């Protein structure tokens, strides 16, 4: 069965960096799309980034473009989100999900979600 496990979250100062990992099992990244989402207190969940399974193209929300980088390691069946120049408004629980449409960050009804990892950006 499909399972996703996020890790790498933590507390970081503004301007700092973190790398999140999403380890997948039950499927190969060669055939499934995967993306990162986040949800801050009092706000709706929003799409952050997505990587295409067909050609490896990447997509980013305007709020993180130029600061975050999504990548994948097919041999390890893992997707990463490298985050630089972190801001307090980046504070949220970050989730990864499968079967993401990169044009609108919609997750198919048969998609899978991880449990989330907390990112806190604070002085």
């Amino acid at each position: 069965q499909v399972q996703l496990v996020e890790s790498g979250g933590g507390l970081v100062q503004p301007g700092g960096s973190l790398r999140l990992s999403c380890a997948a099992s039950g499927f190969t990244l060669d055939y499934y799309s995967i993306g990162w989402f986040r949800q801050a207190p009092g706000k709706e969940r929003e799409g952050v980034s997505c990587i295409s399974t067909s050609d490896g193209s990447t997509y980013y929300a305007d709020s993180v473009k130029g600061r975050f980088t999504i990548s994948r390691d097919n041999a390890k069946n893992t997707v990463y989100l490298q985050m630089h120049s972190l801001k307090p408004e980046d504070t949220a629980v970050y989730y990864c999900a499968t079967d993401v449409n990169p044009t609108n960050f919609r997750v198919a009804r048969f998609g899978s979600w991880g449990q989330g990892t907390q990112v806190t950006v604070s002085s």
Side-chain angles (χ1 to χ4, degrees):
Q1 61 183 34
V2 176
Q3 289 187 311
L4 303 174
V5 179
E6 300 96 333
S7 62
L11 175 64
V12 64
Q13 293 183 332
S17 300
L18 284 174
R19 188 180 75 163
L20 307 183
S21 298
C22 176
S25 63
F27 68 99
T28 173
L29 299 183
D30 290 339
Y31 298 103
Y32 291 83
S33 61
I34 192 162
W36 286 96
F37 299 77
R38 67 186 182 186
Q39 187 165 21
K43 298 185 65 176
E44 296 183 353
R45 181 177 295 169
E46 64 173 336
V48 175
S49 183
C50 182
I51 187 164
S52 171
T53 57
S54 60
D55 60 7
S57 297
T58 57
Y59 305 85
Y60 300 93
D62 289 341
S63 59
V64 307
K65 195 172 299 181
R67 300 187 298 120
F68 292 9
T69 302
I70 190 171
S71 62
R72 66 186 181 190
D73 186 334
N74 289 346
K76 296 181 178 180
N77 229 30
T78 300
V79 173
Y80 304 96
L81 185 68
Q82 180 66 245
M83 305 185 294
H84 295 296
S85 302
L86 284 163
K87 306 174 181 179
E89 51 263 44
D90 294 318
T91 296
V93 177
Y94 284 71
Y95 303 87
C96 58
T98 67
D99 299 288
V100 179
N101 185 334
T103 64
N104 57 15
F105 287 101
R106 285 186 176 270
V107 178
R109 63 180 182 272
F110 49 82
S112 298
W113 293 84
Q115 84 290 345
T117 185
Q118 176 71 49
V119 172
T120 302
V121 184
S122 176
S123 298

